[in-house]
Amino acid sequence: MDRVGVDEFRQSGLAETRPITEEESVQLGEAIGRVSSREVRSHLPLPWFRRSAVDGYALRAADRAERLRVVDKVTAGRPTARRLGPGEAIEITTGAPMPEGADAVALVEESERSGDFVRVREAVEPGSHVSPVGEDIRPGQIILDRDQIVTPVAVAALASQGHQAVMVWRRPRVLIVSTGDELRPLGTPLAHGQVYDVNGAALEALVRAAGGIPVRGGVWEDRYEAVRAGMSALLDRDDWDILVTSGGTGASIPVFQGRDVRELHDLLPAVAAELGTLIHHGIRMSPGRPTALARLGQRPAFLLPGWPYAVLVHFEMLVEPAIRQAAHLPQGRRRAVAARLATSLSPMPGFTWVIQVRVSTDNDGTLWAEPLLPPPPPSASRVMTQMLEADGYIIVEAETDLPQGHPVTVWADPLRHREGKP
Amino acid sequence: MDRVGVDEFRQSGLAETRPITEEESVQLGEAIGRVSSREVRSHLPLPWFRRSAVDGYALRAADRAERLRVVDKVTAGRPTARRLGPGEAIEITTGAPMPEGADAVALVEESERSGDFVRVREAVEPGSHVSPVGEDIRPGQIILDRDQIVTPVAVAALASQGHQAVMVWRRPRVLIVSTGDELRPLGTPLAHGQVYDVNGAALEALVRAAGGIPVRGGVWEDRYEAVRAGMSALLDRDDWDILVTSGGTGASIPVFQGRDVRELHDLLPAVAAELGTLIHHGIRMSPGRPTALARLGQRPAFLLPGWPYAVLVHFEMLVEPAIRQAAHLPQGRRRAVAARLATSLSPMPGFTWVIQVRVSTDNDGTLWAEPLLPPPPPSASRVMTQMLEADGYIIVEAETDLPQGHPVTVWADPLRHREGKP
């Protein structure tokens, strides 16, 4: 199976991913960041009664009288039943309902009170300082679009209608499986050769940050029977929308080809092809060339390599777009910052090379991106420490060398971004 | 009390706000976005055993032999007890522990297997393709700083050490109180002149988005006794760190001055001065000049106006920095985008004017910010609809008119941001 480019892989992943169709109701105060599943129109105009926009005196503009008798007082929430007659005024506060018979308000700053009377310095026009019914929100106006992220402003608009809850799309459930005989759960002792399941924990965090609900599917042993049994069991479960695995995707394929699948240690794509449809296996991308995409029971399965840096990058470039599509979220959560290469760089022609960088600012305010490259073979590679040190990554798709100072875009972790620095 | 500038008010708010000192333990998969309360150092080197960085054959570099006898096989998680002798090789997979006696690995791609023997095409150096103990993470290395946001990478690093949980700062609890006789809880019927408590719901959402825990404190009536009783009761409660109120901050102060405080409808700052220390009352900012800052039982109280747009802007410019400081979060969560003014604008000299804008992009890719201004008095104002239409806001502190095309910074809602458009 030919390696495909990053864009083709990503588009295939999106094509395999259905937007979630189930809705749920969430309390207004907890709806922040969720995506509305229904258009909401106002049923209550705002304001729903004529109200004063200022502190002052409600009056009849037609009176054009300088001296009015103050016959009552209304404050917000405390209306009066009294109807305003000719030559009368009613003291009124901001937000209070206009008395019957009154059609304008004179500003308190432009009035002089004396006992039961008030002098209004200038005649007021009908409607002055009065908010008519529906001036802000008309009945039937759209206050929340379908597929809109619920923001604090949307919450305010929904609250103005008295809604206690809002209908949103259920979050996509992302099943996370790690593969490898060497993997042990966190918090347990390690025997020789064993390591902790780093990718399972990292994927749980990544899924949550991307807007999905992580569902932990445990660890599959690196044997054909174990992987086949594990993957078969998933087909019958309806508690996941997207599958993400790490490890076992096939670094050995060019070498072990011709052997029986049961002998392979990297066998997830092979089992996925048996139980579903293998759509892609191999991507022209570094890190992580052997990533695969499959369809399992009409649901997308992203089979990522086992190297933690590859898991991070492939998740962000391939899996997160699918999760966000399923969640009805817009694409493009990451922050992009313009910088310049701190060193020259020889690209990998034909490949998308994702390189972690550290960013520093010089005296001119220019951001410089210093590539964090693993040592070349036959040395082995530092991975976790470079990931901890990185401020973001650059995506290099050039065919020829990039000189020092070449402009690059640094993609930064949205959790870490601050103004001025990624 | 003199009106102060925005920066002075914000700095005073920060000075009154203690960073949270209580910690809590959260499960690793749920720690995303939280702030670590302790530096974490590695106790386990990574790798903690010598391991192969590739698929191939473990051997003794000193052998320099072309033909080696394959005596065993090790895979990740399945070590061998066999010690490698002279002229011997052991088949090995990526991540598997190096056998005793072996000091290098030959790539499978550069080896030819034939039965029990393997030919290695080129001699290998000692250490080739072997990850020594601690190559990636040394014992005692800092893998999580104190006051660092927990990112997916941090989760991966903690998981590599076997940690199931991480210590983080407790989130600040922000008590939210609305004032006004006209306010009714969501979901209840309205009598004439009553409206729903929009600000309470909006503040709950804003607090959550800012990293705080909202604590709803209900609604106080607009009477001196009610406000004094409500505020007094708060002094004895230890379930809040920051108080935010909306409404009742004093639009009427220049008018009603000289009257007894019991007659005022806008009386929160007055009661705060009685029960605590009033630090500021009035800010040179539009919207929302009458905002106040008080100290109540050694805790900060932000007394915001009642106008929803003022609540939104004052929260983001004054309260959110305090919440983030209390939460040990870095300042600067909002996304800034460069744009140009779509229309000329007459500023408010001496005031910080926060103006909501709609952003559009022309054919050249230039972003244009169109100010959304309320209609001038004596008309009343549309508020909610403008808030729903806005893409962000600009902050204008100029003394003279700004021409069309003038460069501005648009501050966008981080929940809504997408690449290319705020």
Side-chain angles (χ1 to χ4, degrees), chain A residues 276-288:
Chain A
T277 305
L278 189 63
I279 296 163
H280 294 305
H281 185 200
I283 186 167
R284 291 196 296 276
M285 182 177 179
S286 175

Side-chain angles (χ1 to χ4, degrees), chain B residues 212-264:
Chain B
I213 297 175
V215 181
R216 295 298 293 270
V219 174
W220 293 341
E221 281 184 38
D222 240 350
R223 293 179 299 110
Y224 172 79
E225 293 75 14
V227 171
R228 175 148 183 138
M231 208 179 277
S232 296
L234 297 188
L235 292 174
D236 299 328
R237 285 169 56 172
D238 62 358
D239 65 345
W240 61 276
D241 304 297
I242 296 172
L243 172 65
V244 183
T245 67
S246 63
T249 50
S252 310
I253 282 202
V255 176
F256 289 106
Q257 64 193 4
R259 291 204 202 174
D260 187 272
V261 69
R262 285 167 186 75
E263 287 184 44
L264 298 182

